[in-house]
Amino acid sequence: MKAKQDGRTAKQKQSDKNVAKLTIDKLAKEKAASDASWAEAKRHNGSVKATPEWQELERRKKLNEANYQGAQNANKVTLRNTSGSTIYVCPKGMDTHEIKISAGGTAKWDCDTDGYLQVNGKATNTKVYSKNTGCGNTITIR
């Protein structure tokens, strides 16, 4: 291959350099066009986000999210397991629908439902939460 490359004329070698330069120039122009397009899109988005209508929409979205989270917290109680083992909590008489709370972990529980420890898949008489007593708060289970 070396002999073949060395046998090329200066004109042929210059042609290779011109092709390489044209390719580099073309890529640079494409990148500049792409950058300009992105800049235009950012400028447009910025002008839209600066409008009072957009800002009012964003304010309302944040308010709706805060109201939703508040309603969720009002209807749920957080159960914190401080014991050294995993526990299961279920409604009285229900041997399914339990929640699993790992040691040191937490779980959400419906505020309007009594919670009982579950052992071997069966609800026990050990109440860990009385309905409507800790809505929006955290209850510790030891």
Side-chain angles (χ1 to χ4, degrees), residues 74-79 89-92 109-117 125-141:
N75 295 329
K76 297 283 185 184
V77 62
T78 301
L79 302 178
V89 179
C90 68
K92 184 161 184 85
W109 183 257
D110 286 330
C111 191
D112 60 352
T113 305
D114 289 334
Y116 293 85
L117 279 181
N125 288 328
T126 306
K127 187 185 276 191
V128 294
Y129 175 72
S130 296
K131 68 180 178 178
N132 299 321
T133 59
C135 301
N137 295 323
T138 299
I139 305 295
T140 301
I141 302 170

Side-chain angles (χ1 to χ4, degrees), residues 80-121:
R80 173 172 286 139
N81 177 7
T82 59
S83 71
S85 60
T86 299
I87 62 172
Y88 296 87
V89 179
C90 68
K92 184 161 184 85
M94 300 291 283
D95 296 330
T96 59
H97 306 316
E98 79 277 351
I99 58 169
K100 175 182 177 179
I101 311 173
S102 301
T106 62
K108 296 284 187 184
W109 183 257
D110 286 330
C111 191
D112 60 352
T113 305
D114 289 334
Y116 293 85
L117 279 181
Q118 187 179 46
V119 178
N120 297 328

Side-chain angles (χ1 to χ4, degrees), residues 7-142:
R8 296 179 53 199
T9 66
K11 187 175 181 181
Q12 289 172 325
K13 291 178 184 177
Q14 184 61 41
S15 173
D16 288 348
K17 289 179 186 174
N18 290 342
V19 168
K21 185 175 179 342
L22 289 173
T23 302
I24 290 171
D25 290 346
K26 180 181 175 191
L27 291 175
K29 284 180 185 176
E30 288 173 356
K31 182 176 181 339
S34 175
D35 290 349
S37 176
W38 276 108
E40 174 62 21
K42 283 184 176 181
R43 186 198 60 73
H44 174 73
N45 289 345
S47 68
V48 169
K49 289 178 181 179
T51 63
E53 294 86 2
W54 179 272
Q55 292 173 359
E56 175 64 12
L57 178 65
E58 288 299 307
R59 184 193 69 76
R60 292 169 80 193
K61 285 186 344 189
K62 287 178 184 175
L63 181 62
N64 285 345
E65 181 62 25
N67 288 340
Y68 172 77
Q69 291 300 330
Q72 287 293 352
N73 288 337
N75 295 329
K76 297 283 185 184
V77 62
T78 301
L79 302 178
R80 173 172 286 139
N81 177 7
T82 59
S83 71
S85 60
T86 299
I87 62 172
Y88 296 87
V89 179
C90 68
K92 184 161 184 85
M94 300 291 283
D95 296 330
T96 59
H97 306 316
E98 79 277 351
I99 58 169
K100 175 182 177 179
I101 311 173
S102 301
T106 62
K108 296 284 187 184
W109 183 257
D110 286 330
C111 191
D112 60 352
T113 305
D114 289 334
Y116 293 85
L117 279 181
Q118 187 179 46
V119 178
N120 297 328
K122 299 285 183 197
T124 65
N125 288 328
T126 306
K127 187 185 276 191
V128 294
Y129 175 72
S130 296
K131 68 180 178 178
N132 299 321
T133 59
C135 301
N137 295 323
T138 299
I139 305 295
T140 301
I141 302 170
R142 300 176 199 272

